[in-house]
Amino acid sequence: MKLAVFDFDSTLMDGETIDILAYHFGLGDEVKKITDEAMSGRLDFFESLIQRVALLKGMDYKKVVDICANLPLMNGSYEVVSELKKLNYKVVCFSGGFRVGTSPAKEKLGLDADFSNILHEKDGVLTGLVGGDMMFGYSKGDMIRRLQGLLKIGKEDTLVCGDGANDLSMFAEADKRVAFCAKEVLKKEANIIIDTKDLTKILEYIKV
């Protein structure tokens, strides 16, 4: 058995969930600026997440659910998950984004698990608060080590794929490190670099 861990936003999904939600709430440009700073590694991920989610306070939760059920999946996402599973990979998603987005994608793509954060809602609207598995810059590395221990899979049988600075911690735990249409900060730590929006390109680097 092997392990493949994909980031969600701008990797399995073509876009950033929080930016998409913010545009629907009329705060797209403001939130996107913070996202760009965080993904480039210039801003602490936890601080950026708290700032951005706070700006969504008051957004209708049903609208959030509807938007996140129909997020655009990345070109090649279905094919790469299917092919990796044939090669005996457990395929999971880690996201500094939200369960409301990753869970529908998990069902569509047939992922083995998704780990992400929860947008807090009360009385049908977002409160501006967030909590969950992926709150910090180190969260993905921490979670991948726990999964490797549980599944008894080593670094040599682990593939990771991401695009931003909050993926760095999981890159340290895998021998196959894919920077997918990524920021420079992540490309420096990758040994597979893909600059076209097609996840099936990963398969060219995988030996059976």
Side-chain angles (χ1 to χ4, degrees):
M1 188 193 300
K2 298 177 182 179
L3 177 64
V5 180
F6 286 84
D7 173 40
F8 183 63
D9 293 310
S10 298
T11 305
L12 280 179
M13 194 272 285
D14 191 1
E16 295 284 329
T17 305
I18 196 159
D19 293 356
I20 292 168
L21 292 175
Y23 275 109
H24 283 275
F25 198 49
L27 289 169
D29 291 343
E30 193 172 347
V31 169
K32 187 177 186 305
K33 279 179 196 165
I34 303 171
T35 300
D36 289 345
E37 289 290 298
M39 292 305 99
S40 298
R42 293 188 296 268
L43 184 63
D44 177 79
F45 181 76
F46 174 74
E47 292 173 342
S48 79
L49 183 62
I50 297 299
Q51 284 177 31
R52 288 176 290 163
V53 173
L55 290 168
L56 299 182
K57 183 178 181 179
M59 189 172 181
D60 180 75
Y61 186 64
K62 185 179 183 304
K63 186 173 182 180
V64 170
V65 171
D66 290 345
I67 292 165
C68 289
N70 296 290
L71 293 170
L73 295 176
M74 186 64 72
N75 184 34
S77 56
Y78 287 93
E79 294 85 350
V80 79
V81 172
S82 173
E83 289 304 312
L84 286 172
K85 288 189 140 199
K86 288 176 189 173
L87 296 172
N88 203 29
Y89 278 86
K90 289 285 184 190
V91 186
V92 305
C93 163
F94 287 178
S95 177
F98 315 111
R99 190 88 47 89
V100 71
T102 60
S103 288
K106 171 182 175 284
E107 297 307 315
K108 290 175 187 174
L109 294 170
L111 300 175
D112 292 294
D114 63 311
F115 297 86
S116 47
N117 298 318
I118 306 290
L119 286 167
H120 187 248
E121 60 90 14
K122 188 176 179 181
D123 301 326
V125 297
L126 296 186
T127 64
L129 300 174
V130 61
D133 300 322
M134 296 285 152
M135 295 284 289
F136 303 97
Y138 62 77
S139 294
K140 293 183 180 184
D142 181 59
M143 186 63 76
I144 205 168
R145 285 191 297 275
R146 291 157 75 184
L147 276 183
Q148 287 168 329
L150 185 67
L151 299 171
K152 297 184 169 42
I153 294 171
K155 284 174 71 168
E156 67 281 359
D157 289 321
T158 302
L159 176 150
V160 294
C161 178
D163 73 302
N166 70 320
D167 297 312
L168 282 167
S169 65
M170 69 176 181
F171 268 43
E173 310 302 329
D175 279 4
K176 290 189 181 72
R177 302 179 295 280
V178 183
F180 182 79
C181 300
K183 305 292 187 187
E184 285 303 320
V185 68
L186 197 66
K187 283 184 178 182
K188 288 175 185 171
E189 303 302 323
N191 53 18
I192 300 170
I193 295 175
I194 296 169
D195 284 326
T196 54
K197 281 189 171 186
D198 181 1
L199 284 169
T200 62
K201 297 284 185 189
I202 291 170
L203 300 171
E204 297 169 13
Y205 298 90
I206 306 297
K207 293 187 176 70
V208 179

